[in-house]
Amino acid sequence: MTTFAVGAATDVGKVRSHNEDNLLVADTVFVVADGMGGHNGGEIASQIAVERLANAGAVGSIDDLVRRVQEANTDIVDRAREQPEFRGMGTTIVMLADIEQAAPNRLGVANVGDSRLYRVTATGLHQHTEDHSLVEALVRDGHLTRAEAAVHPQRNIVTRALGIDDKVLVDAWELIPVVGDRYVLCSDGLFGEIDDDEIHEVLQATSSPQDAADELVRRAREAGGRDNITVVVVDVVEADPDEEHPDDRVVGIHKALSGKVLGDTGPATPEPRRGEMPGGFVPPAMTWRVGLFTAVVLAVVIGMLVAVSAIGRSGYTVAEGDNGDRKSVV
Ligand code: MN
């Protein structure tokens, strides 16, 4: 049994009229969801996801965790089919949960989209999740630097979300809970405004998780507040007696691939090497979707190169339009 101390805060920010983020803080289940879509669809999608994950009780296994995220996906897809004005709504999800039946005890993580899970270390933040976003794909392929991605006008385009298709790829894995560890779940409204060093500084300087969540949201507002901001800070207070654990805490990876039978974890996925992101990119089989995605990415890259050279020649800079920073999905 693992026990936690938790703080949470969410804020509409200074620009948006609605808060499309939702969060869940239950005894042993923590979620941040960042919705997207017109006609309040974003709020509804993130709310449906959080409700589904709240109502299911304790998590029994990593497969159970993935199944719940898939069920949340189905709920959103069904709702969008019933009400056409919600077509295209979706949400990111990042989830941390105690896997109560695991012995020794484990934490489960699930991620879809560009919300993040961090863990505070002595020297900085360890980002456990990989962003499923266009800019992350461009960084991975060497077309953008991290610094360019952080300010890129299309940084809100995600490549995965709940609610878009009948099947969703869920990154999921297990972590060893270690007393004293501090985890942070957040929407992009936090790290879009303040950098990892500042987030780390606040988390180190603040002992109460609620004070830490409040202060992070306050700073993101102060820095611009251009998006909804949601932060959940989770401290591990009690855990099973210490066992040997790797620095990254990762002990098992479950990648639920599209169309895969749930519960069949297939051949063992090798442990990530140190310094490698646990949700490390695994090239999926080439399908028409992947082909289409690749074509879209290429078109965007070429478009960017053309735009950048045009800007360079003209001396103009690109300003974000009113809706230019809205989250959307490829
Ligand atoms: Mn957002």
Side-chain angles (χ1 to χ4, degrees):
M1 181 75 186
T2 306
T3 59
F4 307 93
V6 186
T10 186
D11 191 280
V12 68
K14 290 159 85 169
V15 174
R16 302 279 170 89
S17 56
H18 299 281
N19 191 345
E20 299 185 327
D21 288 358
N22 263 292
L23 65 87
L24 169 66
V25 173
D27 285 350
T28 59
V29 180
F30 314 103
V31 176
V32 166
D34 179 350
M36 70 200 82
H39 300 282
N40 300 334
E43 285 160 270
I44 288 164
S46 61
Q47 190 186 340
I48 292 171
V50 161
E51 280 173 3
R52 161 63 73 174
L53 298 168
N55 290 334
V59 174
S61 68
I62 194 78
D63 284 356
D64 183 23
L65 189 107
V66 171
R67 187 176 299 114
R68 287 169 192 222
V69 175
Q70 302 273 9
E71 286 169 356
N73 180 64
T74 302
D75 287 354
I76 299 165
V77 168
D78 287 351
R79 181 70 179 276
R81 285 201 179 117
E82 285 160 19
Q83 289 177 267
E85 69 268 31
F86 294 144
R87 192 173 299 151
M89 73 175 172
T91 187
T92 73
I93 196 99
V94 64
M95 180 173 186
L96 179 71
D98 185 25
I99 301 178
E100 298 195 358
Q101 286 159 23
N105 213 196
R106 296 283 184 249
L107 303 178
V109 179
N111 180 53
V112 177
D114 69 350
S115 298
R116 289 182 180 175
L117 176 73
Y118 291 108
R119 181 170 45 83
V120 183
T121 72
T123 53
L125 291 181
H126 176 80
Q127 187 184 328
H128 276 277
T129 48
E130 170 188 281
D131 298 348
H132 303 135
S133 66
L134 180 63
V135 291
E136 182 64 30
L138 293 172
V139 168
R140 202 163 43 219
D141 292 346
H143 299 298
L144 282 181
T145 65
R146 286 261 158 241
E148 287 166 344
V151 296
H152 194 277
Q154 285 168 313
R155 64 187 179 279
N156 290 303
I157 297 178
V158 293
T159 51
R160 290 194 220 171
L162 302 190
I164 306 305
D165 204 347
D166 288 324
K167 291 283 191 330
V168 63
L169 281 85
V170 182
D171 286 355
W173 61 95
E174 295 181 19
L175 302 170
I176 297 179
V178 176
V179 172
D181 277 355
R182 169 168 279 185
Y183 288 94
V184 180
L185 298 85
C186 63
S187 62
D188 62 339
L190 177 69
F191 57 83
E193 297 292 359
I194 61 175
D195 65 18
D196 284 5
D197 288 345
E198 186 171 356
I199 296 171
H200 184 242
E201 177 203 316
V202 170
L203 292 164
Q204 289 281 66
T206 319
S207 67
S208 142
Q210 185 60 53
D211 290 350
D214 288 338
E215 178 63 9
L216 287 172
V217 167
R218 192 190 69 75
R219 292 219 192 182
R221 268 189 70 95
E222 201 176 76
R226 285 162 286 191
D227 193 3
N228 308 143
I229 310 148
T230 301
V231 179
V232 177
V233 178
V234 181
D235 290 348
V236 178
V237 174
E238 282 180 288
D240 283 354
D242 260 355
E243 57 180 310
E244 284 292 309
H245 52 77
D247 285 348
D248 65 4
R249 310 295 194 257
V250 176
V251 282
I253 293 184
H254 170 123
K255 275 230 161 208
L257 298 177
S258 187
K260 178 174 159 58
V261 178
L262 285 172
D264 168 20
T265 51
T269 310
E271 295 266 326
R273 289 188 298 279
R274 273 193 66 176
E276 215 174 59
M277 198 89 61
F281 180 70
V282 177
M286 198 64 171
T287 63
W288 70 269
R289 277 175 190 283
V290 174
L292 179 63
F293 175 71
T294 307
V296 168
V297 170
L298 276 175
V300 169
V301 170
I302 291 164
M304 276 167 27
L305 292 174
V306 170
V308 165
S309 71
I311 292 161
R313 283 194 303 274
S314 64
Y316 288 119
T317 55
V318 176
E320 283 181 20
D322 271 354
N323 287 319
D325 58 349
R326 284 266 173 212
K327 193 182 292 301
S328 59
V329 65
V330 172

